[in-house]
Structure formats: C-alpha cells, structure tokens
Amino acid sequence: SAVISQKPSRDICQRGTSLTIQCQVDSQVTMMFWYRQQPGQSLTLIATANQGSEATYESGFVIDKFPISRPNLTFSTLTVSNMSPEDSSIYLCSVGPGQGSFGPGTRLTVL
Amino acid sequence: QKEVEQDPGPLSVPEGAIVSLNCTYSNSAFQYFMWYRQYSRKGPELLMYTYSSGNKEDGRFTAQVDKSSKYISLFIRDSQPSDSATYLCAMIDAGGTSYGKLTFGQGTILTVHP
C-alpha cells in the first residue's frame, strides 16, 4: 500500500490563526481523503480531494473553514482557518478506497 | 442512530485469549468492510478488508461478515500484548457520490495483559 507522510506532525496554535497541513504520497493516487479524529472519538471524513477538481465536503464541513488544495497526484494540503479550541484534533489524510493507507496524522492544539 | 455502532469498551483480556470485536450497521448500501488497528499517537493501519458475507482469515485474525444481519466481527486468536490498541471497524458505500468514503465505528480499546 501507499506510504503517506504528513507535515507538521503536531502544532500548538493561537485562536484565530490558520494552519496548513501537508500530505505527501509516495505514488500517484486519484483520490485523497482528509479525516478528523477528535479526542477520544473515531474518524470523521472532512472532504474528498481529487486532482484537478474542487474538493467535495461532507455535511458539517465547509470550504471557507477547511480549504483544500490538490495540485498533483501525490500531494494535498488542508488548511484549518480561523481556528478555535474546538478545532483541536488529529487530522489525517488517506488514500483509497480500499488501499487502506493513512498518514501518521497531525496533532493540532488550539489555545 | 449512528450508521455504524461499535462498543467502545475498554476490553481487557489475558495473553492467549480469543478476542471478539463487533460492529453493527444500518446502511444496506455498505459493500466493503474493513478493520483497522490504531496504536496510540499513530494513524490507523489496515488489518482486514472483506467484501462478501462469510469468513476471511489472515494469521491470527479472522474477519466475519453477515450482511443479512448487518453485523461484522473481528476475532483475534492467541492474543498478545502487542495487540493492545484501538480497533476500528469501517465500511464503504461503493456507489454514487459516497464512493470511497469510509464510515467508521467508534473504536474498541483493547488491552492484552501478560
């Protein structure tokens, strides 16, 4: 399966700022997925990112808050904008379906 | 009602025990079923991936799917302390606009003590 890396691995941010998370895959993939895992909770899909088209967001997530870029078949970014403490979570990217790979996650704390 | 229900545990067993982890689901459109293992501070790791009803075995792990009952299970034989992790079931509706989207259960925290 694909090997996925994420940057940064963790960050502590101030309320009202934005953070961009990078996801790099070692092979070309059509679909990339961004998930959020809040403390003690399971994973929730934020959006699906296909190269060359706008990301598709799940109910409860909007582009203004979580803009996504997908410039090529091996890379994507997720920005968490105008952060509040409620955005403190682990953010994971994944490739799929069925390829099973997740990145190691970005642990975000918002003060 | 959540689409996927999973008992969060925690579940504590002695080394060598047989572990049974279960999920139920309500969406008949789910076609693919996965089990992930997640160690603390790591991303989920795919353990098993099944499509049809029945059993699939991989070493000490057996995944079981019963589509008629909307029920899936993961069995771990001869459990080891290294199996201590959170186990997440996940499902895919492979049709329409939901293609590729994983819907996860809450995860079961498993501890295997020596």
Side-chain angles (χ1 to χ4, degrees), chain A residues 97, chain B residues 29-32 51 92-101:
Chain B
F30 287 137
Q31 298 181 30
Y32 298 89
Y51 171 70
I92 293 179
D93 169 5
T97 58
S98 298
Y99 183 74
K101 170 187 173 182

Side-chain angles (χ1 to χ4, degrees), chain A residues 52-79:
Chain A
S53 63
E54 294 290 324
T56 302
Y57 290 82
E58 296 297 307
S59 175
F61 298 97
V62 295
I63 187 171
D64 290 345
K65 177 67 175 178
F66 297 101
I68 287 172
S69 78
R70 183 78 201 275
N72 57 53
L73 291 172
T74 63
F75 187 79
S76 179
T77 66
L78 170 76
T79 299

Side-chain angles (χ1 to χ4, degrees), chain B residues 43-61:
Chain B
E45 167 195 10
L46 181 65
L47 280 178
M48 303 285 285
Y49 178 15
T50 58
Y51 171 70
S52 58
S53 285
N55 295 350
K56 182 177 181 180
E57 192 172 314
D58 184 1
R60 296 186 295 111
F61 298 91

Side-chain angles (χ1 to χ4, degrees), chain B residues 18-73:
Chain B
I18 296 174
V19 177
S20 173
L21 304 166
N22 310 294
C23 289
T24 59
Y25 63 96
S26 57
N27 186 350
S28 299
F30 287 137
Q31 298 181 30
Y32 298 89
F33 305 90
M34 288 88 162
W35 285 96
Y36 287 84
R37 176 174 63 194
Q38 186 175 24
Y39 292 114
S40 180
R41 300 182 179 274
K42 300 287 187 182
E45 167 195 10
L46 181 65
L47 280 178
M48 303 285 285
Y49 178 15
T50 58
Y51 171 70
S52 58
S53 285
N55 295 350
K56 182 177 181 180
E57 192 172 314
D58 184 1
R60 296 186 295 111
F61 298 91
T62 299
Q64 191 174 77
V65 174
D66 182 347
K67 287 187 175 180
S68 63
S69 300
K70 297 188 179 67
Y71 187 89
I72 69 170
S73 298

Side-chain angles (χ1 to χ4, degrees), chain A residues 3-78:
Chain A
V3 176
I4 305 173
S5 59
Q6 285 184 234
K7 289 182 181 179
S9 59
R10 57 175 57 227
D11 207 342
I12 300 173
C13 301
Q14 295 297 320
R15 181 194 298 262
T17 62
S18 298
L19 176 72
T20 295
I21 302 168
Q22 299 178 8
C23 179
Q24 180 74 52
V25 188
D26 70 343
S27 58
Q28 294 184 338
V29 294
T30 304
M31 303 172 78
M32 295 179 74
F33 303 85
W34 286 97
Y35 288 83
R36 181 174 73 181
Q37 188 173 28
Q38 293 180 300
Q41 302 296 315
S42 191
L43 287 83
T44 302
L45 181 65
I46 298 171
T48 303
N50 290 336
Q51 193 269 337
S53 63
E54 294 290 324
T56 302
Y57 290 82
E58 296 297 307
S59 175
F61 298 97
V62 295
I63 187 171
D64 290 345
K65 177 67 175 178
F66 297 101
I68 287 172
S69 78
R70 183 78 201 275
N72 57 53
L73 291 172
T74 63
F75 187 79
S76 179
T77 66
L78 170 76

